[in-house]
Amino acid sequence: MAAAQSRNRRPAERLQILGQAASGILLRLDDVVAVFTQQTGFPWQNPKMKKVVQCFEQKFHMKEYPSVPDIDKSQGPEELQQKGKEYCESLEEQYLTLIDAVELHGEIWKLLTEIADDYACPTFDDFPHIATAYLDLFVLYVQICLLLTQIPGREMLVSFYAYCYQWASGFADKHFARVATMLSDR
């Protein structure tokens, strides 16, 4: 891809914008880690949900949308259906943070590879600000990846939210596949 065909031919501005966005996502991901390490009472921690958790874990690792077709309703699915909206509301902030992190992760990777492919590598002597911004963005990219791996119960957060969202709204969550793919690869 030639420099003239790049996304908007403004990599310096995009480095700065994505760097600022990544810093904000890091703070939000840090909050998600804190919530899931310090709090209890999440639906997947309920002993009644043991069979549902096992089913969701299996489906998550196969990157399938969560469902519980073979489980007796008294072993968890009935409660999920009754409290679906409540569970969605309580997990929504953390789930949206994961969506934002996945989208930003992809945008950062696109820019880093675009700069590496389209432009001469910025040397520190010639372009200290651009070289520093490039390296800073790479560090932020790695930090996002590391923080995503530190979220305890991330598979259950994504699976329970998607399942409850579908019951509450009648529609499947359109972000599930991307988020599940990103998190299961970590």
Side-chain angles (χ1 to χ4, degrees), residues 59-109:
K59 290 191 178 288
F60 186 86
H61 292 293
M62 294 187 305
K63 298 176 182 97
E64 291 181 18
Y65 201 85
S67 62
V68 287
D70 301 333
I71 299 176
D72 181 11
K73 287 198 181 277
S74 65
Q75 294 178 320
E78 185 174 41
E79 181 179 336
L80 280 178
Q81 293 165 7
Q82 291 172 350
K83 296 184 177 182
K85 189 171 183 172
E86 177 186 328
Y87 289 156
C88 272
E89 289 172 0
S90 68
L91 299 173
E92 185 172 40
E93 183 179 342
Q94 292 82 18
Y95 186 73
L96 293 177
T97 297
L98 292 180
I99 292 171
D100 291 344
V102 168
E103 289 177 2
L104 183 63
H105 180 270
E107 287 299 314
I108 290 173
W109 183 251

Side-chain angles (χ1 to χ4, degrees), residues 138-165:
F138 180 76
V139 169
L140 290 167
Y141 176 85
V142 172
Q143 288 176 324
I144 289 171
C145 293
L146 292 173
L147 268 176
L148 285 171
T149 64
Q150 293 178 1
I151 299 171
R154 61 188 178 275
E155 297 93 353
M156 290 301 101
L157 164 63
V158 172
S159 297
F160 271 77
Y161 182 86
Y163 183 83
C164 293
Y165 179 86

